[in-house]
Amino acid sequence: MAGWDVHTHLIPPTVLGAAQQKRFGLSIDGNSLVVDGRTRLPLRRMASPQALLEWVDAQGLDGALVSVPPPLFRYELGAEWADLVNEGLRQLAEPRLRVLGHLVLAEPAMAVSLAAEGVFSGFALGTAGFRERDELWQVLHELEAFTLIHPGHCDDARLAPYYLSNLLGNPYETALAAAELVFGEVPGRFPGIRFCLCHGGGVAAALAGRWQRGVATDRPGVPEVGVADALRRFYVDDLVHDPAVLGLVTEVFGPDRVLVGSDWPFPMGADQLDRDRAAKRAAETERLTRPLSN
């Protein structure tokens, strides 16, 4: 086995169809999908399963795990939007492209229904509020679901210059989600969930010691949790663009918890994957991302 890329994106064909009909606030302008008249997603490779398979072949992989790009999370649109997205993901699924379903966070039964199909290999969640989601966590725990945590848009207006909404906002959003899960004791209370944090967990590894200091000094509202043990219950991808940071990520999360992820086809993704890591983690990644069934 040569391994799997756990972090790639495609626009589902049903979303493209809705855009052509100008439904759900979508439209097509030249080679871009326009979301709510603001966000633009380039169509070429992101709308081409064949282009992703060519990436898989070029990297010598067994396959890739596919989720929708974050501007398509759109949780405010509810079940009708989720149904449209998931129908398109079903159409993308094939032996070398495993797909992560889209959920309505307030409707845990949706995860059960999708898992029963034997098509979806888990779920991708944007970094929307993770507090008071125990009903969802219980379902994902029982399904032993691979659950990719991907940053959504950071609303801090100070990040508008210099592309900081991505360069700083994305790692912050992922670490915020990780912190909510750690201090909510979610990984310990629901150990069946296979959480995987994108981009090496954002800035979580750099903050682990600070978080533990907050526990040790009984800071207001901080529960007694073992931060180091909690973080080692997560998987992360290795997309950090810096060998020194990757070393820290490996130390904090554990070498067996670092998987290969490219963020294909975004410009902030990887140009080349670590084939040695992919091969070493191949059997475990294949197991983690097999299509669910209940």
Side-chain angles (χ1 to χ4, degrees):
M1 300 179 68
W4 288 74
D5 184 342
V6 301
H7 182 182
T8 72
H9 300 287
L10 284 171
I11 299 170
T14 49
V15 172
L16 296 175
Q20 290 165 350
Q21 299 171 17
K22 297 188 176 180
R23 298 170 58 218
F24 292 100
L26 302 172
S27 61
I28 294 176
D29 181 17
N31 290 313
S32 294
L33 173 69
V34 183
V35 183
D36 294 328
R38 300 186 304 273
T39 305
R40 302 175 72 90
L41 288 169
L43 287 176
R44 291 185 179 90
R45 291 191 296 167
M46 208 176 298
S48 172
Q50 182 57 41
L52 177 51
L53 288 171
E54 289 171 3
W55 163 260
V56 167
D57 289 339
Q59 299 301 311
L61 298 173
D62 297 306
L65 200 60
V66 177
S67 57
V68 298
L72 300 185
F73 286 146
R74 308 181 84 199
Y75 290 115
E76 71 279 4
L77 297 185
E80 187 178 6
W81 173 253
D83 290 343
L84 177 84
V85 170
N86 287 323
E87 176 55 31
L89 289 166
R90 291 183 189 97
Q91 295 174 26
L92 292 172
E94 58 118 295
R96 293 194 296 160
L97 297 181
R98 295 179 173 178
V99 296
L100 296 175
H102 182 70
L103 297 177
V104 177
L105 299 182
E107 299 183 19
M110 180 178 288
V112 178
S113 177
L114 293 176
E117 298 179 21
V119 173
F120 296 93
S121 290
F123 306 99
L125 303 183
T127 48
F130 284 166
R131 296 181 186 178
E132 300 179 0
R133 297 290 182 192
D134 280 10
E135 291 185 14
L136 176 61
W137 304 141
Q138 181 63 38
V139 168
L140 298 183
H141 161 73
E142 292 172 1
L143 293 172
E144 297 186 345
F146 186 87
T147 304
L148 187 75
I149 306 298
H150 195 291
H153 177 68
C154 184
D155 292 327
D156 190 336
R158 295 173 299 173
L159 302 182
Y162 311 121
Y163 199 57
L164 291 180
S165 60
N166 184 294
L167 300 182
L168 181 58
N170 277 16
Y172 164 79
E173 284 288 316
T174 303
L176 175 60
E180 290 181 330
L181 294 170
V182 166
F183 290 118
E185 301 181 81
V186 173
R189 292 188 295 124
F190 303 99
I193 306 175
R194 278 73 162 135
F195 283 114
C196 182
L197 303 172
C198 289
H199 312 128
V203 294
L207 296 174
R210 185 173 183 85
W211 292 354
Q212 189 60 55
R213 179 66 176 175
V215 175
T217 56
D218 195 25
R219 293 301 84 204
V222 179
E224 290 191 20
V225 298
V227 173
D229 289 341
L231 288 175
R232 283 191 169 240
R233 293 180 181 270
F234 291 94
Y235 292 91
V236 296
D237 71 22
D238 61 355
L239 186 62
V240 295
H241 305 293
D242 186 325
V245 174
L246 184 57
L248 176 63
V249 166
T250 301
E251 182 176 349
V252 169
F253 291 97
D256 60 330
R257 292 278 166 163
V258 182
L259 309 177
V260 170
S262 69
D263 205 3
W264 184 96
F266 282 106
M268 289 297 295
D271 297 321
Q272 179 71 42
L273 293 180
D274 185 332
R275 295 192 182 190
D276 183 60
R277 186 192 315 282
K280 287 180 178 178
R281 299 274 82 81
E284 182 174 17
T285 307
E286 194 282 328
R287 177 183 61 82
L288 287 169
T289 64
R290 288 172 187 163
L292 296 168
S293 64
N294 67 339

